[in-house]
Amino acid sequence: MLPRWADLTYFITENPDVLVIVELNQGSELCWLQVSGVASLVLHPDWGNLLPQRVSHIDPNDLFSFVHIKPRRIDLVDENSGWGVCETLELGPPL
């Protein structure tokens, strides 16, 4: 989900190649997941299954855009196993 007030949805329509990094913030060692792939906007998301029980009277479509990312490559960097330890999964042609 992306906030509609950000320019991210515009940039995705201009260039759908994306890189998403999710950091695990536990312990002293570095650990993160990096996903590169192709993003596309989902025009009619099923908000009932995507959001917790609605507590707002505002339509989620007015607040958020939903994005689907088809991964091409997933990297897991986990320095708990040693400095620079990285596992890679290639799912398609390189970016």
Side-chain angles (χ1 to χ4, degrees):
M1 289 186 343
L2 298 174
R4 287 214 181 259
W5 57 89
D7 290 333
L8 298 172
T9 54
Y10 167 76
F11 291 122
I12 287 173
T13 59
E14 292 295 308
N15 182 0
D17 292 329
V18 296
L19 176 66
V20 178
I21 299 174
V22 180
E23 178 186 14
L24 175 63
N25 194 8
Q26 291 181 345
S28 62
E29 303 299 329
L30 296 175
C31 184
W32 69 88
L33 183 70
Q34 178 174 303
V35 179
S36 58
V38 178
S40 59
L41 296 175
V42 177
L43 299 179
H44 303 288
D46 182 7
W47 292 113
N49 287 322
L50 294 170
L51 294 175
Q53 181 182 16
R54 292 187 59 182
V55 295
S56 174
H57 298 289
I58 299 173
D59 184 359
N61 286 309
D62 293 338
L63 299 174
F64 302 103
S65 295
F66 196 81
V67 177
H68 175 265
I69 299 175
K70 181 177 180 183
R72 289 184 179 154
R73 178 181 170 132
I74 300 173
D75 294 305
L76 172 63
V77 177
D78 185 0
E79 293 188 352
N80 291 308
S81 301
W83 185 85
V85 172
C86 179
E87 297 288 331
T88 300
L89 177 61
E90 293 279 348
L91 301 167
L95 292 174

